[in-house]
Amino acid sequence: MNALLGQAWKCPRSAVLVTRRWRVKSTGTKPQPKKFAGRGSNSAPKSFDELQPDEQLRRRLHDRERRTATPEVPALRQKYDEFYDLTKNRLKHLLWEMGKWDPQHREYKAFGIHTLESYIQEISLFKDALRKSFHLASALGMTARTDNPLFWNLRAAFIKGDSTGLTKELRYALETFLMRKKFSKFATELHLDIADLRFPHEWFPATRQLQRTIHLHVGPTNSGKTYNALKALENAKSGIYAGPLRLLAHEIYTRFKAKGKACALITGEEQRIPDDADMFFRSCTVEMTPLNWKVDVAVIDEIQMIADESRGWAWTQAVLGCQAKELHLCGEERVVDLIQELAARLGDKCIVHRYQRLNPLVPMEEAIGPNFTNLQKGDAVISFSRVNLHSLKAGIEEATGRKCAIVYGSLPPETRAAQAALFNDPNNEYDFLVASDAIGMGLNLEIKRVVFESAFKFDGMTHRQLSIPEVKQIGGRAGRYRTANDAVRHGKDQDSASTPALSKWGAPGFVTAMDDQDLEVIRKNLQKDAKPIAAAGVLPPSHVIERFGTLFSPDVPLAFILSRLREMARLSSSFTMCSFSEHLEIADVLKGFDLSIYDRSVLLTAPVALRDKGQKDILKAFAWSIANLSGGHLLEIPEIDLEALDVDTAQLSSAKRKDHLVRLEGLHKAITLYLWLSYRYRGVFTSQKLAFHVKSLVEDKITGCLEATDYAADKQQRRRETLRHQAKLHSKKEEQLLGEVVEELPVAEGGPGLWVEEGHEEPLYREENEVNAALPVRVRRVSLNESTKSRVSQE
């Protein structure tokens, strides 16, 4: 690639012209001079098709007015032109959001724009670069990441996040463009040196001194791979379990305690350390894996999530940095080649253990329909909306007269564990379960049959069809082999390879759906194999972000520093950059606070659900406390909605109880974030014991609200039809604007390129019109100074 978007496009050096010159040179013949065709000459071309190829290309590149398809213009060009129109509209909206140029505009000053003329010039140049990138795509078909990085990233952002994602990517591309000439050659080389992430294994020198053995346990769900890995952990003197969910960490912690083994529970917002033992096991979420502790055995569960675009970096970090003599990785077959390659790079020995399902998984021929009387004992109905889960629970209990447990990601771990135990216990009336895709993350439940309420979901950004791994992970939970609940019940006495689920029902695991249209999608996905994982996700560690951030002025937004780091990062073929989207959103929220680059780096990894109402205000309140090293007592933070605990849910109507449940879950997230920060800023957030007490009160309130909801069969049927329709509309919109994208986008994103260089929970609601429980914006504290207050109070 000899020209990127920041450099002027030279039409005479077009691909067609260069090809003609090369052919002439290779044949050794001299091209004949062109004859000038006068106005009356008979040799003048009569149509566009009769022009020379380079002349046709030149006219196409400079033809700005032709915006409709003609016989000479491919249909794909029209689609890219429509996408260009959408991009221009989003850019116009973005400039409106950023505000007009002003001499005191902090952001424009940080990017070196000091005059109105400079602002107009730079925006015009960016629009010109944007136009050129779309011409490269439509006229030359240059859409690859290396050839046309700006177009590639805009297209990837639109596919992942629709118009919202497109606007965010435009913002970071514009900021990068504005700073393109602000760095000297030496500064750019220094940026590239710091952003060299090709050898992430060198971040863990102590681990590299060990000779580890990696045991890779792969196979489908219900094959016993995790069971065998945990047996190795139980037989060791010291060890670590790292899983994707807090609930899984709680399960293993409870299992080891039941077997009489000293064990610590370590998650982001909770740490239970044994007081009466010097040596103990550690059960943790993968992000909290201790990398500075030498152990005999470490088990890392759901290793295929090493390619997750949001959290994959945590699995990569654990694999590269865990100081264990034996490292047991449990996951899917598609991760084998990648782990073997990483083991070869690290100099570790890799042993692959393959497993088969202990009982078959059978997709059913017919859907169960909307009548819940067709459900059987041990069925789990899967949905992807919290409100819909409660409605399904009420409908099942009303139709069957039996109890239904409920499990989903944003429920507190203790509540989820209690609900799972009720369902697993055969000696009560809880015959059914409604759950989100949280059960596909390794959550152990004794399920006979998995029933998909829909084969489509809203992932927080777009409506889409379930992927092959999602269907197999969730559907594979049918006919579970053994659960941690069994280990807790039986302790040490019964630790054999018995199959309680299979003996209980005497049948394989079954998978079906409520509608025939969804069942067809489920059946097809179960018969397909997912593509192998090609690369492990990484993120720049905090020390790299801190060092990189020191090279910029304090007025430069952290979001730009991160996007610049993303842009200049160099990776090897075995690694890919995880998504920066959540980090960039958090960085935008933190603008205006006097925080060090270290504090900002810490907050980038905080468990914040920014898309939920009120969570931005809570993050700002915590950031204010960190910046001022005060005001961190739980009762001093008005943004934490403690008044929600005073509401008597028994006096609320069914509809208002749903809204109050949203409010309680928002409060639970705020308390969870408070606890997470209390382990990192003990001198600021001093109410840890009170926060745990409030957390337990909120969980009790949530449990009480779970029982109050209603169900309407016709409404649910329309909901499923609408969901399928929305997913088809989204796919149709992508195809209409972008055509059929042949190039498969990787799981993570890259930067827009060097401008001056040559060459992870189910949503609360499924539809926007369902959002009817918005919390009011709280009044900011009066102790803020006026300049900071004006910035902090803006949304």
Side-chain angles (χ1 to χ4, degrees):
M1 171 91 179
N2 295 323
L4 279 178
L5 303 176
Q7 193 175 19
W9 177 257
K10 300 177 181 179
C11 296
R13 296 290 297 176
S14 66
V16 175
L17 190 56
V18 171
T19 303
R20 288 180 65 250
R21 290 178 179 175
W22 180 83
R23 288 177 178 173
V24 168
K25 184 176 181 180
S26 62
T27 57
T29 60
K30 185 177 181 179
Q32 298 297 324
K34 296 181 181 179
K35 295 182 180 180
F36 175 76
R39 180 175 297 181
S41 173
N42 294 331
S43 61
K46 298 180 180 180
S47 67
F48 184 82
D49 292 333
E50 295 179 18
L51 293 175
Q52 294 295 328
D54 54 331
E55 181 64 23
Q56 291 185 11
L57 178 62
R58 187 178 292 108
R59 292 195 180 187
R60 287 180 186 272
L61 290 176
H62 289 281
D63 185 9
R64 303 184 183 183
E65 302 299 327
R66 297 175 59 179
R67 308 302 298 166
T68 58
T70 65
E72 296 85 6
V73 181
L76 187 58
R77 178 179 179 182
Q78 183 186 11
K79 298 179 185 296
Y80 285 162
D81 287 346
E82 293 174 356
F83 183 39
Y84 178 48
D85 291 336
L86 173 63
T87 304
K88 288 193 299 183
N89 289 333
R90 301 313 300 172
L91 177 61
K92 182 179 179 181
H93 179 73
L94 171 63
L95 295 175
W96 176 82
E97 281 186 339
M98 295 178 67
K100 296 181 179 180
W101 179 86
D102 184 88
Q104 303 303 320
H105 197 295
R106 182 175 181 178
E107 192 166 350
Y108 289 143
K109 286 174 62 178
F111 290 116
I113 301 178
H114 303 291
T115 64
L116 179 60
E117 292 75 11
S118 176
Y119 169 80
I120 295 175
Q121 181 184 18
E122 290 298 312
I123 297 301
S124 298
L125 288 174
F126 179 73
K127 290 180 178 179
D128 191 50
L130 192 66
R131 177 187 58 82
K132 290 175 183 178
S133 71
F134 276 85
H135 272 300
L136 291 178
S138 61
L140 293 179
M142 297 173 63
T143 61
R145 190 178 193 174
T146 54
D147 296 335
N148 196 348
L150 177 58
F151 177 84
W152 190 95
N153 280 279
L154 293 176
R155 183 182 66 173
F158 176 73
I159 291 175
K160 292 179 181 179
D162 213 349
S163 298
T164 302
L166 177 62
T167 304
K168 292 179 182 178
E169 188 62 36
L170 270 174
R171 182 186 186 93
Y172 305 132
L174 174 60
E175 292 176 345
T176 306
F177 182 82
L178 294 178
M179 292 290 286
R180 71 195 184 285
K181 296 181 180 178
K182 304 300 186 294
F183 304 108
S184 64
K185 183 178 180 181
F186 173 77
T188 300
E189 291 176 353
L190 186 58
H191 292 176
L192 287 171
D193 182 63
I194 298 176
D196 189 352
L197 309 179
R198 291 175 295 174
F199 311 105
H201 53 277
E202 295 181 354
W203 301 339
F204 311 99
T207 308
R208 299 288 74 79
Q209 297 178 6
L210 302 177
Q211 181 62 49
R212 303 185 304 175
T213 300
I214 298 178
H215 293 270
L216 181 58
H217 304 265
V218 295
T221 54
N222 197 17
S223 60
K225 55 184 184 295
T226 306
Y227 172 83
N228 285 279
L230 290 177
K231 288 297 297 179
L233 180 61
E234 291 175 6
N235 294 329
K237 294 182 180 179
S238 61
I240 300 169
Y241 170 83
L245 297 175
R246 285 178 291 161
L247 180 54
L248 283 177
H250 275 261
E251 272 195 7
I252 303 304
Y253 168 78
T254 306
R255 174 175 178 167
F256 273 62
K257 295 282 286 185
K259 290 178 176 291
K261 296 181 179 293
C263 185
L265 174 67
I266 304 175
T267 65
E269 63 278 0
E270 184 178 15
Q271 296 184 14
R272 301 180 187 176
I273 309 297
D275 296 328
D276 54 350
D278 295 329
M279 292 294 295
F280 48 84
F281 293 87
R282 287 170 168 82
S283 180
C284 55
T285 49
V286 69
E287 287 85 354
M288 299 299 296
T289 304
L291 304 178
N292 57 351
W293 189 48
K294 292 184 179 181
V295 296
D296 294 329
V297 175
V299 175
I300 302 176
D301 210 354
E302 305 296 334
I303 188 58
Q304 71 277 357
M305 290 193 68
I306 198 171
D308 184 78
E309 67 174 353
S310 298
R311 300 177 62 198
W313 62 270
W315 275 262
T316 302
Q317 173 182 274
V319 171
L320 299 181
C322 194
Q323 298 185 44
K325 297 177 182 178
E326 290 186 11
L327 185 61
H328 291 257
L329 311 178
C330 307
E332 300 176 13
E333 175 72 28
R334 60 195 180 107
V335 80
V336 171
D337 292 342
L338 175 61
I339 297 300
Q340 289 179 329
E341 182 181 350
L342 292 180
R345 285 174 177 260
L346 303 175
D348 294 333
K349 182 180 180 181
C350 183
I351 302 174
V352 180
H353 307 272
R354 288 182 167 87
Y355 301 83
Q356 301 296 324
R357 274 190 68 94
L358 298 173
N359 60 342
L361 182 65
V362 181
M364 301 189 70
E365 297 294 334
E366 296 181 355
I368 67 169
N371 190 352
F372 289 132
T373 57
N374 295 327
L375 291 176
Q376 303 171 8
K377 181 179 176 63
D379 281 356
V381 181
I382 310 301
S383 184
F384 306 100
S385 163
R386 279 181 273 174
V387 171
N388 198 41
L389 285 171
H390 299 313
S391 297
L392 290 172
K393 177 178 182 292
I396 292 173
E397 291 180 342
E398 180 180 354
T400 63
R402 306 290 290 178
K403 290 291 186 179
C404 179
I406 183 170
V407 171
Y408 57 91
S410 57
L411 270 179
E414 292 80 5
T415 305
R416 283 184 292 181
Q419 292 286 310
L422 289 173
F423 175 72
N424 285 339
D425 189 352
N427 299 319
N428 61 27
E429 57 181 355
Y430 282 82
D431 291 348
F432 312 107
L433 171 74
V434 292
S436 71
D437 49 357
I439 70 168
M441 298 280 287
L443 182 60
N444 290 314
L445 294 161
E446 295 183 10
I447 300 172
K448 174 183 178 181
R449 183 172 63 171
V450 168
V451 181
F452 285 88
E453 187 255 346
S454 176
F456 300 85
K457 68 179 294 188
F458 177 67
D459 59 8
M461 298 295 291
T462 59
H463 295 83
R464 63 174 178 83
Q465 181 178 302
L466 296 179
S467 64
I468 296 174
E470 285 174 329
V471 171
K472 289 191 171 184
Q473 280 289 320
I474 299 173
R477 300 297 159 183
R480 288 296 295 166
Y481 175 70
R482 182 176 177 82
T483 70
N485 185 57
D486 296 317
V488 173
R489 289 200 302 261
H490 301 304
K492 297 181 179 180
D493 299 330
Q494 296 184 16
D495 198 23
S496 63
S498 61
T499 59
L502 189 59
S503 62
K504 182 177 177 181
W505 292 303
F510 296 96
V511 181
T512 186
M514 294 188 67
D515 295 337
D516 291 329
Q517 302 96 313
D518 294 323
L519 180 58
E520 184 65 24
V521 175
I522 299 300
R523 290 176 59 87
K524 289 181 179 179
N525 282 1
L526 286 175
Q527 296 168 0
K528 296 178 182 178
D529 292 327
K531 294 183 179 181
I533 295 175
V538 294
L539 276 179
S542 58
H543 70 270
V544 171
I545 297 176
E546 291 177 42
R547 186 182 175 196
F548 198 79
T550 59
L551 303 178
F552 298 86
S553 166
D555 290 334
V556 175
L558 178 61
F560 167 76
I561 296 176
L562 293 175
S563 61
R564 174 75 173 177
L565 179 57
R566 180 191 67 172
E567 167 196 349
M568 308 197 74
R570 289 181 288 174
L571 299 170
S572 68
S573 59
S574 298
F575 301 97
T576 185
M577 189 69 74
C578 285
S579 173
F580 268 72
S581 58
E582 291 185 4
H583 293 71
L584 293 172
E585 290 182 18
I586 293 175
D588 283 335
V589 173
L590 298 179
K591 286 192 302 185
F593 293 98
D594 186 16
L595 296 169
S596 67
I597 188 67
Y598 169 79
D599 292 332
R600 294 177 187 272
S601 299
V602 171
L603 290 174
L604 289 179
T605 59
V608 186
L610 290 179
R611 67 187 181 193
D612 290 354
K613 293 291 184 180
Q615 296 303 308
K616 286 186 179 180
D617 290 326
I618 291 170
L619 178 59
K620 290 177 181 178
F622 291 156
W624 184 92
S625 297
I626 296 172
N628 292 274
L629 298 178
S630 63
H633 194 282
L634 189 64
L635 301 179
E636 295 179 355
I637 306 175
E639 287 78 5
I640 299 179
D641 186 19
L642 296 176
E643 293 82 1
L645 294 173
D646 299 330
V647 178
D648 185 4
T649 56
Q651 303 298 324
L652 299 177
S653 64
S654 178
K656 290 185 177 180
R657 279 184 182 176
K658 288 183 182 180
D659 297 344
H660 188 62
L661 178 61
V662 175
R663 189 178 175 187
L664 289 172
E665 288 176 345
L667 174 58
H668 189 272
K669 287 186 171 98
I671 298 298
T672 297
L673 179 57
Y674 184 95
L675 289 170
W676 189 89
L677 291 170
S678 70
Y679 287 106
R680 292 153 180 84
Y681 297 95
R682 292 183 180 271
V684 177
F685 303 100
T686 57
S687 308
Q688 189 180 86
K689 291 185 178 180
L690 177 60
F692 274 117
H693 176 66
V694 172
K695 183 169 174 279
S696 64
L697 294 178
V698 176
E699 289 163 0
D700 292 340
K701 287 276 189 177
I702 290 175
T703 303
C705 282
L706 292 179
E707 304 299 329
T709 188
D710 53 3
Y711 175 80
D714 55 344
K715 182 179 179 181
Q716 292 296 322
Q717 182 67 31
R718 291 195 301 269
R719 183 190 298 273
R720 293 193 293 272
E721 293 174 355
T722 301
L723 186 57
R724 287 191 291 266
H725 180 66
Q726 290 291 338
K728 291 178 180 178
L729 284 181
H730 179 72
S731 299
K732 186 177 181 180
K733 181 179 179 180
E734 289 182 357
E735 184 177 355
Q736 179 182 358
L737 293 178
L738 304 176
E740 184 178 357
V741 181
V742 179
E743 177 189 3
E744 183 179 356
L745 301 177
V747 295
E749 61 208 33
L754 301 178
W755 293 97
V756 295
E757 186 78 12
E758 291 190 0
H760 357 9
E761 294 183 22
E762 72 284 343
L764 173 60
Y765 296 104
R766 179 174 289 162
E767 305 294 341
E768 292 183 2
N769 57 12
E770 292 180 353
V771 183
N772 58 1
L775 298 178
V777 178
R778 304 299 300 269
V779 180
R780 306 303 301 173
R781 37 170 78 76
V782 297
S783 57
L784 285 169
N785 61 65
E786 291 301 322
S787 60
T788 305
K789 182 178 179 180
S790 62
R791 300 188 198 104
V792 175
S793 299
Q794 293 178 358
E795 281 293 334

